[in-house]
């Protein structure tokens, strides 16, 4: 991050704590990092408590702890764990920037609402993951890593037997993904790659993310997964599609084929369904004695670490767009098309207004 003795861009974060959310989009150490890059921080009182960061921690780091209304009124840019609600969007001013998982691939109406409000929306889900400069900004990777860690612990806790190595989990791990590049990634971590005998060589989608399979491909995948699943004691599924029904990877027939006492943790479970047919948020036991745990909020269960990683992602995105003490379009154009999904005209207008006020 570039050195800048005077903070001129104001970054704001709101309290997003709820029954299922404990993370916060700014941590005290990131406040310090942002100051060095010419960014001052505002945070709503109590925003970090659920993640074990107190208001005093933020104040010691140099942030101003204040009311929600002041954050909304004074921030040039706001960072979110999720995305601003319609109520929050209505309170924002034209020219303000919002950074978060905006659901831009599947929720055109939401993107249109941001544009109508004159906001500049930075959609983290549109990051080009293959671009080296964007890797430190990749919230999906950082939060999915936390989710996967917690999912393994959740599954081990629900499983009725020891995993092989007792004080270390030591399970034999097999993983699968439709993206061809994932095989090397899986094997580099010491796990086995599950060969379904299918060729989805074009499984890599836009920006390095998995593409949606055709109906025929999905049916082939489901049949192959159902067959292979019977040999596992624990299954963890993580294929989320923000704002849309997740793909079914394991059917009811596949669940029925599992041995009694097997555990499934479906991290994609939601009101729209999950990766496992019949899963829902919460825990249930099937007639065959399989524990099916719908757990979409696992990253929030490791809120301190998850918040630290997420806030670093958001901060790196913000700083990328800070130029000479102002927010502006990406001068290298590497991230502009991938990130700015609304209000493109608002940024120059905001900069012009700032220049007028300085004269």
């Amino acid at each position: 991050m570039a050195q800048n003795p005077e903070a001129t861009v104001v970054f704001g974060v709101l309290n997003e704590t709820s029954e299922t959310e404990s993370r916060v989009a700014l941590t005290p150490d990131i406040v310090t990092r942002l100051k060095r890059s010419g960014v001052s921080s505002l945070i709503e009182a109590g925003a970090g408590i659920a993640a074990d960061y107190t208001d005093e921690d933020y104040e010691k780091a140099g942030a101003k702890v204040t009311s929600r209304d002041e954050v909304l009124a004074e921030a040039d840019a706001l960072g979110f764990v999720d995305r601003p609600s319609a109520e929050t969007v209505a309170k924002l001013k034209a020219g303000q920037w919002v950074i978060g998982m905006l659901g831009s691939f599947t929720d055109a109406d939401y993107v249109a609402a941001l544009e109508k409000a004159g906001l500049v929306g930075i959609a983290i889900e549109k990051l080009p993951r293959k671009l080296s400069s964007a890797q430190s900004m990749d919230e999906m990777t950082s939060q999915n890593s936390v989710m996967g860690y917690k999912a393994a612990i959740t599954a081990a806790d629900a499983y009725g037997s020891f995993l092989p190595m007792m004080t270390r989990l030591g399970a034999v791990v097999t993983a699968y993904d439709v993206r061809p590049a994932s095989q090397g990634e899986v094997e580099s971590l010491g796990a086995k790659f599950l060969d379904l005998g299918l060729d989805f060589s074009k499984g890599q989608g836009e920006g390095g993310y998995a593409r949606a399979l055709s109906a025929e491909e999905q049916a082939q995948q489901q049949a192959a997964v159902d067959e292979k699943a019977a040999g596992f004691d624990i299954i963890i599924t993580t294929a989320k599609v923000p704002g849309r029904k997740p793909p079914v990877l394991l059917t009811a027939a596949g669940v029925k084929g599992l041995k009694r006492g097997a555990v499934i943790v479906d991290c994609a479970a939601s009101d729209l369904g999950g990766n496992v047919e019949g899963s829902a948020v919460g825990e249930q036991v099937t007639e065959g004695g399989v524990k099916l745990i719908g757990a979409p909020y696992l990253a929030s269960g490791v809120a301190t670490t998850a918040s630290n990683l997420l806030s670093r992602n958001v901060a790196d995105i913000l700083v990328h767009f800070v130029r000479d003490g102002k927010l502006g379009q990406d001068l290298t154009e590497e991230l502009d098309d991938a990130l700015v999904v609304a209000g493109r005209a608002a940024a120059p207008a905001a900069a012009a207004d700032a220049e007028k006020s300085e004269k």
Side-chain angles (χ1 to χ4, degrees), residues 25-109:
L26 179 66
T27 55
D29 63 319
I30 299 301
V31 171
T32 303
R33 293 184 73 213
L34 286 172
K35 283 171 60 180
R36 294 197 296 266
S37 299
V39 179
S40 62
S41 300
L42 294 176
I43 187 164
E44 182 181 356
I49 295 296
D52 294 324
Y53 297 110
T54 68
D55 291 347
E56 290 75 16
D57 292 334
Y58 287 104
E59 289 173 341
K60 287 178 182 178
K64 181 179 180 181
V65 178
T66 185
S67 68
R68 186 180 190 86
D69 287 344
E70 184 171 356
V71 174
L72 292 171
E74 299 299 327
D76 299 307
L78 295 101
F80 294 86
V81 174
D82 187 8
R83 67 182 189 178
S85 65
E87 180 183 4
T88 298
V89 170
K91 294 181 178 180
L92 294 173
K93 300 176 296 186
Q96 286 180 305
W97 291 49
V98 294
I99 304 171
M101 299 291 288
L102 303 181
S104 59
F105 288 125
T106 57
D107 196 344
D109 289 343

Side-chain angles (χ1 to χ4, degrees), residues 1-358:
M1 291 187 176
Q3 298 291 319
N4 191 324
E6 292 187 13
T8 53
V9 173
V10 180
F11 178 58
V13 165
L14 301 176
N15 185 347
E16 296 180 70
T17 304
S18 69
E19 184 179 344
T20 57
E21 185 58 76
S22 299
R23 293 172 294 173
V24 62
L26 179 66
T27 55
D29 63 319
I30 299 301
V31 171
T32 303
R33 293 184 73 213
L34 286 172
K35 283 171 60 180
R36 294 197 296 266
S37 299
V39 179
S40 62
S41 300
L42 294 176
I43 187 164
E44 182 181 356
I49 295 296
D52 294 324
Y53 297 110
T54 68
D55 291 347
E56 290 75 16
D57 292 334
Y58 287 104
E59 289 173 341
K60 287 178 182 178
K64 181 179 180 181
V65 178
T66 185
S67 68
R68 186 180 190 86
D69 287 344
E70 184 171 356
V71 174
L72 292 171
E74 299 299 327
D76 299 307
L78 295 101
F80 294 86
V81 174
D82 187 8
R83 67 182 189 178
S85 65
E87 180 183 4
T88 298
V89 170
K91 294 181 178 180
L92 294 173
K93 300 176 296 186
Q96 286 180 305
W97 291 49
V98 294
I99 304 171
M101 299 291 288
L102 303 181
S104 59
F105 288 125
T106 57
D107 196 344
D109 289 343
Y110 183 82
V111 172
L114 296 182
E115 192 160 20
K116 183 177 180 180
L119 304 176
V120 181
I122 309 298
I124 296 178
E125 68 272 9
K126 283 199 169 182
L127 278 168
R129 298 171 85 181
K130 292 183 178 180
L131 193 65
S132 59
S133 62
Q135 288 173 5
S136 68
M137 309 172 189
D138 187 0
E139 178 187 333
M140 289 184 71
T141 295
S142 75
Q143 299 307 289
N144 285 348
S145 296
V146 176
M147 179 181 68
Y149 165 87
K150 188 67 172 179
I153 293 175
T154 299
D157 183 56
Y159 186 53
S161 299
F162 277 134
L163 298 190
M165 297 178 68
M166 295 184 67
T167 56
R168 288 176 293 158
L169 293 182
V172 177
V173 178
T174 303
Y176 170 74
D177 193 295
V178 297
R179 294 174 299 128
S182 65
Q183 180 168 352
E185 296 167 358
V186 166
E187 292 173 345
S188 72
L189 295 172
K192 299 177 181 179
F193 189 78
L194 181 63
D195 183 4
L196 297 181
L198 302 174
D199 180 16
F200 296 144
S201 58
K202 294 183 180 180
Q204 192 94 340
E206 182 181 346
Y209 298 99
R211 69 171 173 87
L213 299 182
S214 69
E216 181 181 357
E217 289 173 329
Q218 190 169 17
Q220 292 175 336
Q221 180 190 56
Q222 289 172 347
V225 169
D226 284 352
E227 180 183 350
K228 298 283 187 180
F232 295 102
D233 301 298
I234 292 172
I235 295 174
I236 297 171
T237 62
T238 62
K240 295 184 177 182
V241 184
R244 196 163 56 187
K245 180 178 172 61
V248 174
L249 306 179
L250 184 64
T251 70
V255 174
K256 189 175 181 179
L258 297 178
K259 66 187 73 172
R260 179 173 290 274
V263 175
I264 303 171
V265 179
D266 186 353
C267 298
S270 71
D271 294 339
L272 299 175
N275 294 148
V276 181
E277 191 172 7
S279 73
V281 178
E283 183 174 335
Q284 57 182 296
V285 179
T286 69
E287 290 182 3
V290 176
K291 291 182 181 178
L292 177 50
I293 303 170
Y297 308 117
L298 289 178
S300 183
V302 195
T304 303
T305 298
S307 296
N308 190 273
L309 294 172
L310 185 152
S311 62
R312 184 179 296 268
N313 300 146
V314 172
D316 282 355
I317 293 170
L318 174 67
V319 169
H320 183 86
F321 291 93
V322 174
R323 295 289 187 276
D324 298 323
K326 295 182 176 65
L327 287 167
Q329 303 296 302
D330 182 2
L331 299 184
T332 66
E333 297 184 354
E334 288 181 322
L335 302 183
D336 256 3
D337 290 337
L339 292 176
V340 181
V341 299
R344 280 184 173 274
D353 289 343
E355 290 176 4
K356 288 178 182 177
S357 65
E358 290 174 358

